Amino acid sequence: MSRAVCRVPALALSLCALLPALAGCDSECDDPARIDGQWAVFANATGEDWQVTGFTEDERTAGEEAALLDNIFMNGASTWDIRYTPGRDRYAIDIDGQSFEAEHAADAESCNRIALTLGGIYTSAGGSTHDFDVDAEIVWTGDAFVGSYAYADTWTFDGRDGAIRIPSGQLRGSAGAADTGQ
């Protein structure tokens, strides 16, 4: 009789462990800190509908617009350090050593599809200042993520000001630091 009693709890434990997997649930989904770490991120616009204001046609031709675009982290390589903040249900994201806070939401069908919304003031190594907003959708795969984004900012640079709009872009992240060439 004691043998049968021992089997029931073992069977019950096995079923309890198996049921979440059968239901499509993943225990890692309960841990928003699973994406914590340092990420080498590369971002770029995917369409021709991006816009930059604040330059004359001569300044654009002289490459000043391109120099400004080289300064934004959503255009090229950057390093992101992502840390979940328990109790605040947000992520602290350091981008190239500057701190921001991101709101997040996991997709109802796939917890590794995550919407991130972040904004703040970013000062580039080239001296431009950007008051930015980013809405991104990423799919995290463990040691990498891919996704899309929309970016908008108002900027100041070299005595000028204007705005940047990138309505559609893509980003790719891999574990580790980015080689930004700086």
Side-chain angles (χ1 to χ4, degrees):
M1 180 156 159
S2 65
R3 193 170 183 170
V5 171
C6 291
R7 286 186 187 164
V8 171
L11 178 60
L13 288 174
S14 296
L15 287 175
C16 288
L18 184 58
L19 285 176
L22 291 174
C25 298
D26 192 343
S27 63
E28 77 179 6
C29 292
D30 294 333
D31 182 15
R34 69 189 178 280
I35 69 170
D36 284 6
Q38 190 173 66
W39 298 93
V41 177
F42 186 81
N44 61 282
T46 56
E48 296 296 322
D49 53 353
W50 57 272
Q51 300 172 344
V52 178
T53 65
F55 292 101
T56 66
E57 192 57 42
D58 289 340
E59 291 168 335
R60 280 189 175 90
T61 304
E64 294 178 45
E65 179 181 90
L68 174 71
L69 288 171
D70 285 343
N71 286 325
I72 63 173
F73 65 89
M74 292 308 282
N75 183 44
S78 58
T79 298
W80 295 21
D81 189 10
I82 301 175
R83 300 285 173 219
Y84 179 69
T85 308
R88 292 195 37 88
D89 200 28
R90 295 177 181 228
Y91 288 102
I93 301 181
D94 287 354
I95 301 172
D96 296 333
Q98 298 175 54
S99 298
F100 306 99
E101 193 170 73
E103 295 180 16
H104 68 95
D107 186 88
E109 294 181 23
S110 171
C111 69
N112 289 327
R113 183 180 306 269
I114 303 166
L116 293 174
T117 303
L118 69 144
I121 309 259
Y122 175 83
T123 303
S124 74
S128 61
T129 302
H130 303 267
D131 187 352
F132 74 92
D133 290 299
V134 173
D135 289 316
E137 299 264 340
I138 64 169
V139 176
W140 177 75
T141 60
D143 59 353
F145 63 81
V146 296
S148 61
Y149 72 89
Y151 174 90
D153 83 20
T154 54
W155 57 267
T156 58
F157 180 55
D158 199 24
R160 295 180 191 83
D161 59 35
I164 298 173
R165 302 285 179 267
I166 303 173
S168 58
Q170 65 183 357
L171 66 156
R172 297 172 300 286
S174 58
D179 179 10
T180 60
Q182 297 177 6

